[in-house]
Amino acid sequence: MRHTPAMLHVQDLSLTVPIKGKQVMAVDRISLTLEPGRVLGLVGESGCGKSITAQAMLRLGEYQGVLRSDGDILLDDQSLFSMPENELRKVRGGRVSMVFQEPMTALNPVFSIGSQITEVINLHLKMNKDDVQKRVIQLLQDVGMQDAESLLDQYPDTLSGGMRQRVLIAMAMAANPEYIIADEPTTALDVSVQKRIIQLLRSLQQQKNLSMLLVTHDFGLVAELADDVAVMYAGQVVESGTVEQIFDQPTHPYTRALMGCRPEVNKPGAALPVITGQVPSPGNWPTGCHFAERCPLADMMCQESVSLNAWSDEGHQARCVHVDVASPKPSVSDEATV
Ligand SMILES: Nc1ncnc2c1ncn2[C@@H]1O[C@H](COP(=O)(O)OP(=O)(O)OP(=O)(O)O)[C@@H](O)[C@H]1O
Ligand SMILES: [Mg+2]
């Protein structure tokens, strides 16, 4: 299949992880597309395979034994898996860059802020020393750091969590990337700082027409930032569509359940509903629908494998054989019982 150039496609990708000496499937034929200027929210509970998918987009998981068993990832129709290592190095942090959850592990504590951003620029752009210095200061200003010049010689441990995350975003922007992979970019931060980092990411994404993958377990964040959404459950995409489609008509029982857990749809102060049961881990997936054992609609039909387009409507897809298309948007109490 050919695609329009300048897109990053994950195509029927399967990944395995090492468990007790065996490679076990942890991502099952998932497809995602990052389009210019659009934010794709990849959402799902802990352990669903979001991070290993995100890392695969830079082939980073291989270092921890996360291997591709099927499918492909295409950047402008070129497979990342057949790309020579030297080209891959140019892509990483160059055309495609990443913002991690935990800024302290992504920043190197023994190098100054200035030298770490300088290194990214030197690796990817041809610039003279003075211009590099100006660019570093500009990048720090772009991410809202006051007094950028005095930061150059500081070390990461002298900064607050929010400032470190801003530095990490400056590093991710350093080589003018087209794609940003952001894995839970605000989870480690206080709520008020989270909001400012989200606003920063959104304004940079819009100004530079970036394409972004936003990995999160937080549907509220998806509503604020994403244009498109893929809901992941136990290694599979179970629902995908535009943010409007997913919020106007959440269709898969898992999506509905996740949406019902948002603080903003529940009474202030009330205990938040939780989805009973746990995500099955790799190696323990049921043969049919992966969500069946937690799903109130599950019956015999769900023991057969279900394809993502079991239900579809104008690009909105859901991996469920029990979708009642006529069902109204679920109420909070419906969701809370799932
Ligand atoms: N290097 C690894 N070796 C073995 N198992 C792994 C490895 N990396 C991930 N896994 C397993 O693969 C599954 C998916 O992990 P992943 O980190 O992608 O989940 P996630 O959706 O990002 O979860 P979270 O929201 O907690 O970050 C989990 O069961 C995890 O334990
Ligand atoms: Mg993760």
Side-chain angles (χ1 to χ4, degrees), residues 44-52 54-55 101 183-184 215-217:
E45 284 167 288
S46 188
C48 285
K50 305 178 302 295
S51 290
I52 56 172
Q55 285 159 11
Q101 173 174 346
D183 190 354
E184 308 268 9
V215 174
T216 179
H217 57 268

Side-chain angles (χ1 to χ4, degrees), residues 14-218:
S14 296
L15 298 171
T16 61
V17 296
I19 296 178
K20 293 185 188 149
K22 281 199 189 129
Q23 289 299 124
V24 179
M25 190 180 275
V27 162
D28 180 19
R29 285 165 294 157
I30 79 164
S31 296
L32 305 168
T33 301
L34 293 195
E35 293 181 44
R38 289 182 81 83
V39 178
L40 170 65
L42 182 62
V43 65
E45 284 167 288
S46 188
C48 285
K50 305 178 302 295
S51 290
I52 56 172
T53 301
Q55 285 159 11
M57 292 169 99
L58 285 169
R59 284 187 55 191
L60 289 172
E62 291 166 26
Y63 302 110
Q64 279 88 44
V66 181
L67 303 177
R68 169 183 72 147
S69 61
D70 207 353
D72 212 340
I73 300 180
L74 302 171
L75 179 61
D76 298 350
D77 283 349
Q78 196 188 356
S79 166
L80 287 191
F81 293 96
S82 53
M83 209 175 254
E85 188 62 31
N86 62 341
E87 259 186 73
L88 202 56
R89 269 200 298 273
K90 283 188 221 151
V91 170
R92 285 187 192 129
R95 293 187 64 190
V96 186
S97 67
M98 193 146 187
V99 178
F100 294 93
Q101 173 174 346
E102 190 28 84
M104 205 49 210
T105 50
L107 290 171
N108 191 330
V110 302
F111 291 106
S112 68
I113 304 296
S115 66
Q116 294 192 56
I117 303 177
T118 301
E119 193 189 339
V120 180
I121 299 173
N122 286 339
L123 207 62
H124 295 284
L125 305 176
K126 284 197 171 64
M127 285 180 132
N128 69 41
K129 222 174 157 196
D130 285 350
D131 288 344
V132 171
Q133 171 97 346
K134 281 188 206 139
R135 181 164 174 80
V136 174
I137 292 169
Q138 182 65 53
L139 283 160
L140 288 169
Q141 286 167 346
D142 288 350
V143 297
M145 297 292 258
Q146 317 265 310
D147 202 7
E149 234 159 307
S150 74
L151 271 175
L152 299 179
D153 296 326
Q154 288 192 36
Y155 289 81
D157 64 354
T158 63
L159 305 180
S160 68
M163 283 165 88
R164 280 185 212 139
Q165 195 57 300
R166 285 175 194 268
V167 170
L168 211 62
I169 294 170
M171 271 169 78
M173 305 300 293
N176 280 327
E178 295 153 64
Y179 303 92
I180 300 264
I181 314 291
D183 190 354
E184 308 268 9
T186 61
T187 310
L189 305 170
D190 294 343
V191 176
S192 61
V193 183
Q194 284 186 4
K195 274 214 160 352
R196 292 201 292 274
I197 296 288
I198 298 301
Q199 282 159 0
L200 169 66
L201 277 173
R202 186 178 15 216
S203 77
L204 288 172
Q205 182 267 329
Q206 285 172 348
Q207 271 169 35
K208 301 187 191 291
N209 203 37
L210 292 171
S211 177
M212 182 152 85
L213 179 76
L214 174 72
V215 174
T216 179
H217 57 268
D218 178 353

